[in-house]
Amino acid sequence: MFARRITVVGAGYVGLTTGACLAALGHWVTCADPDAALIARLRAGDEPLREPGLPALVDEGLSAGRLSLVAGAAAALSTPRGAAEVVILCVPTPVGAGGVADLTALQAAVEEVGPHLAPGCVLVVKSTVPVGTAPRVRELLGRDDVPVVSNPEFLREGTAVHDFRHPDRIVVGSDSQDAAERVAALYSRLGAPTVLTDAASAELVKYAANAFLALKLSYVNALAELCERVGADVGDVTEGIGHDKRIGQAFLSPGPGWGGATLPKDTHALLEAADAADFEFRIVRAAIDTNTRQRRRMVDKVRLAVTGSRTGSLSRCRIGLLGLTFKAGTDDLRDSPALAVAALLRQAGAELVAHDPAVAPGRADPELAGIEVVATAEAAARDVEALVVLTEWPQFRTLDWPALAGLTVRPIVVDTRNLLDPDVLRRAGFTCHPLGRRVRTVTQ
């Protein structure tokens, strides 16, 4: 493999993971970010991201001299080893007005680095962007000697390093075949299947993949409700269909709805792209509607568990929440289904107390308004009328459930993740309300 001089613009979880992993593959990488304070923290070994393996990888890269960290993108384009041959943009593209991706940070990055790129340097867009962004970037660059390549990332929070090192595929799209092949060669040591295509197709791959996963999750959540209505067990049903290789086991676990920084943003972006092409993508819109309904259904389950009626009043009921982040293994609260359910419970008049291993009491975040965040599960269980499991933290399985039962006003658990063993809870004195599962009676 030929080592390249690479500049990565953006030191968030995608940018820093990309930079550190490319350095580990043998490239010479400079990772740049406009946040000078963040760069100072990273240089000091203070890694703010909860990404397993990333701090060690950054340290290894810095110690070996293959990874450097600088503040400001333009300053990172000229290194002691020469000008950057590849510049990878990993900047935020959040949802803006009307559900359209906000490309402000991307535009700023292109304008900053554009005049300083060496002739023949490849500019790579790894940020998730709408279809048609590549020609807009070329126009913004105003240079014919710098090819633009789309190279979408498929990293999941909490497993980003593993996902980089063990990719299902590498997708590279450009109107320049040579530039696309040069970018694909950066990952050659990974041995992953490589899809070389045009930029528009590469951009669409990311949205299409995430929308398909959202469809699958909405499907299994609807299936869980059907199981409850007909007396079937969703665990057995998903095991039965998951053995079909055409379906697979992944993304067949019901929950309180899908969320996070990716799936909601990308499904809406795909709808925007379809609308712009005068195409009604009804199945994706239905998945989003099903997801919204799923969150309301979780509140109805809590109502039923506490009051005996799906329309019962939760006014002034103290409810304990176990989990606030959008999934286990991260401290990310963005578009968390747990918080969406919490907001609906607050609207219903419930008083909320919550514990999450990654959310410290006193954390400043407007999303936590109206929720009393406590340091332990015991504190979350004290004097509540129900405990609601909203995030699949594995440590919740090993809590002292008999002790928790003694702290509650009513020993009720609504398990929206099917994380816990209903029989363990029953023996601890709890009544368990899972999703789409039959709660079997254990005979001694």
Side-chain angles (χ1 to χ4, degrees):
M1 184 201 72
F2 184 73
R4 294 288 187 183
R5 300 185 299 275
I6 302 170
T7 292
V8 176
V9 179
Y13 94 91
V14 172
L16 190 62
T17 301
T18 298
C21 288
L22 285 172
L25 289 177
H27 301 291
W28 304 99
V29 182
T30 301
C31 196
D33 197 277
D35 188 343
L38 172 61
I39 294 299
R41 288 181 63 183
L42 293 173
R43 286 174 175 169
D46 180 11
E47 170 53 66
L49 301 174
R50 295 174 62 94
E51 282 299 330
L54 184 56
L57 209 59
V58 171
D59 289 343
E60 291 171 9
L62 293 173
S63 298
R66 289 193 172 274
L67 176 66
S68 58
L69 302 167
V70 301
L77 300 179
S78 180
T79 71
R81 294 185 176 273
E85 300 168 281
V86 180
V87 174
I88 304 176
L89 303 182
C90 300
V91 297
T93 53
V95 175
V100 180
D102 184 351
L103 301 182
T104 301
L106 181 69
Q107 179 176 332
V110 173
E111 290 175 344
E112 182 179 1
V113 303
H116 307 285
L117 297 175
C121 176
V122 180
L123 184 62
V124 179
V125 180
K126 188 170 281 290
S127 302
T128 302
V129 294
V131 179
T133 297
R136 292 176 58 186
V137 170
R138 285 197 298 270
E139 182 179 351
L140 192 60
L141 268 177
R143 296 182 57 172
D144 295 330
D145 58 345
V146 175
V148 175
V149 171
S150 175
N151 175 216
E153 54 86 13
F154 301 96
L155 307 181
R156 298 166 295 169
E157 286 189 58
T159 59
V161 172
H162 177 273
D163 292 345
F164 187 100
R165 288 179 153 177
H166 305 279
D168 294 322
R169 73 292 202 194
I170 303 294
V171 178
V172 182
S174 179
D175 294 338
S176 168
Q177 181 75 12
D178 175 69
E181 291 176 353
R182 286 165 62 190
V183 172
L186 300 178
Y187 309 99
S188 60
R189 287 182 58 187
L190 298 176
T194 300
V195 178
L196 292 179
T197 183
D198 58 273
S201 297
E203 291 164 346
L204 188 55
V205 164
K206 178 63 182 293
Y207 289 132
N210 283 338
F212 185 83
L213 297 179
L215 287 169
K216 200 171 182 183
L217 288 170
S218 284
Y219 175 78
V220 77
N221 284 335
L223 188 63
E225 182 176 3
L226 178 60
C227 286
E228 291 177 8
R229 293 179 180 236
V230 302
D233 190 298
V234 72
D236 294 343
V237 173
T238 55
E239 181 182 4
I241 66 176
H243 284 298
D244 188 326
K245 294 178 181 179
R246 297 168 299 174
I247 298 173
Q249 298 282 357
F251 283 75
L252 284 181
S253 297
W258 40 267
T262 301
L263 293 189
K265 176 171 70 73
D266 289 357
T267 49
H268 281 97
L270 186 58
L271 286 182
E272 287 291 334
D275 289 344
D278 195 26
F279 172 65
E280 178 61 36
F281 216 145
R282 295 181 181 178
I283 192 169
V284 175
R285 198 174 300 278
I288 295 172
D289 292 342
T290 299
N291 194 49
T292 301
R293 182 179 180 278
Q294 181 71 359
R295 296 169 178 185
R296 294 196 300 267
R297 194 171 89 82
M298 297 303 97
V299 176
D300 289 344
K301 285 187 72 71
V302 175
R303 290 181 193 273
L304 181 62
V306 172
T307 72
S309 169
R310 294 184 186 277
T311 59
S313 174
L314 293 175
S315 179
R316 303 185 68 178
C317 287
R318 186 172 174 84
I319 305 295
L321 309 180
L322 295 179
L324 293 169
T325 57
F326 88 93
K327 72 173 184 176
T330 177
D331 62 356
D332 198 343
L333 298 174
R334 290 175 294 176
D335 258 314
S336 170
L339 291 180
V341 173
L344 293 172
L345 288 170
R346 287 202 310 274
Q347 291 175 17
E351 299 174 0
L352 303 180
V353 56
H355 167 65
D356 188 294
V359 181
R363 174 169 165 176
D365 193 308
E367 296 287 346
L368 299 174
I371 303 174
E372 179 189 352
V373 180
V374 294
T376 65
E378 289 75 16
R382 194 175 305 279
D383 299 327
V384 301
E385 299 196 47
L387 283 168
V388 184
V389 179
L390 290 170
T391 309
E392 72 283 16
W393 289 99
Q395 50 265 55
F396 290 161
R397 293 194 183 100
T398 57
L399 293 173
D400 187 345
W401 287 101
L404 293 180
L407 294 172
T408 65
V409 173
R410 300 187 192 182
I412 295 171
V413 170
V414 178
D415 185 0
T416 74
R417 294 284 187 171
N418 286 353
L419 177 72
L420 309 174
D421 186 334
D423 293 326
V424 170
L425 293 178
R426 182 185 61 79
R427 288 192 290 266
F430 278 98
T431 300
C432 181
H433 299 263
L435 295 191
R437 296 178 64 183
R438 293 196 308 272
V439 181
R440 298 176 176 87
T441 300
V442 177
T443 57
Q444 301 297 331

